[in-house]
Amino acid sequence: TQALTMGDWERVIAVCKEHGTELTFCARMLADAYRSKGDTLRACYWFEVIGEKKTGLGCAYEKKYE
């Protein structure tokens, strides 16, 4: 499988909006995808967007929930 670029993800989000898919669902897909690629910074960004309290990534924002 080929890694998706940010441009690909922007298209994913555009498609989600088009089909009325819940954007939090899309954000979760993005977060999980970045986590699987090891891109903690972007994964943390999307997890914060959806309000995930525990990611296992040690995201900076998670300290608010400790």
Side-chain angles (χ1 to χ4, degrees):
T1 56
Q2 194 180 354
L4 291 173
T5 66
M6 204 56 212
D8 294 330
W9 285 120
E10 284 162 1
R11 284 192 287 280
V12 167
I13 289 175
V15 168
C16 287
K17 281 183 182 170
E18 238 173 71
H19 295 285
T21 306
E22 186 59 51
L23 276 185
T24 48
F25 172 76
C26 287
R28 179 170 294 283
M29 281 187 351
L30 284 162
D32 286 334
Y34 282 125
R35 177 166 55 190
S36 70
K37 282 169 50 177
D39 190 338
T40 306
L41 199 67
R42 286 199 179 111
C44 285
Y45 170 80
W46 288 107
F47 278 124
E48 187 171 11
V49 166
I50 59 174
E52 190 75 38
K53 290 180 176 68
K54 284 280 173 227
T55 65
L57 294 171
C59 298
Y61 79 88
E62 287 181 284
K63 289 174 179 45
K64 292 187 285 195
Y65 301 109
E66 285 173 359

